[in-house]
Amino acid sequence: WGLAATDVAHHVCAALAPDALAQEGALLDHYHASLLAAAAEFGGAPSLPSRAQFQAQYVAAILDMGRIVFAYQWSRADFETPSLNRNGYNKDARCAAWLAARCDRALAEWERGRALG
């Protein structure tokens, strides 16, 4: 089993429409609350991450997505040709700009010694 935050980060980076990216915090709040509710209802893992732990895991996963995208996938980006066979970050310049800015913000927080989040 992996971290749920890793899957959420991939979905946010790859599948959300540019306008939805502005709702990142609210979407993460909703996901975490739903995860806790489902675990309680179906007898899930006894120790799920707190919202703060989930946030830290999510931000680390966003940085990992940035590492992959910046190093490998942006050389294949095509922001001009419509395609259903690419992720948001390499088919929509607004999603690509959001990912770059989000990674920059996370790295700046890390350098200032703040917890990820």
Side-chain angles (χ1 to χ4, degrees):
W1 300 96
L3 298 174
T6 301
D7 292 337
V8 173
H10 182 268
H11 177 76
V12 167
C13 292
L16 290 187
D19 295 339
L21 292 169
Q23 302 301 318
E24 177 189 26
L27 292 169
L28 295 176
D29 288 342
H30 176 75
Y31 177 86
H32 188 260
S34 297
L35 178 66
L36 294 178
E41 181 178 351
F42 299 108
S47 61
L48 291 171
S50 67
R51 179 63 179 87
Q53 291 168 325
F54 179 79
Q55 181 70 29
Q57 293 168 358
Y58 169 81
V59 173
I62 288 285
L63 288 170
D64 193 46
M65 283 295 301
R67 175 187 62 84
I68 295 166
V69 171
F70 303 154
Y72 175 73
Q73 294 179 348
W74 271 0
S75 65
R76 293 159 179 74
D78 182 355
F79 300 122
E80 303 299 324
T81 306
S83 173
L84 297 176
N85 194 28
R86 289 191 306 273
N87 292 310
Y89 50 74
N90 63 2
K91 71 179 177 184
D92 190 304
R94 295 169 297 171
C95 292
W98 177 88
L99 179 57
R102 185 64 179 93
C103 287
D104 181 63
R105 190 173 89 220
L107 289 171
E109 290 171 359
W110 184 294
E111 288 178 353
R112 285 192 310 266
R114 291 182 52 198
L116 291 176

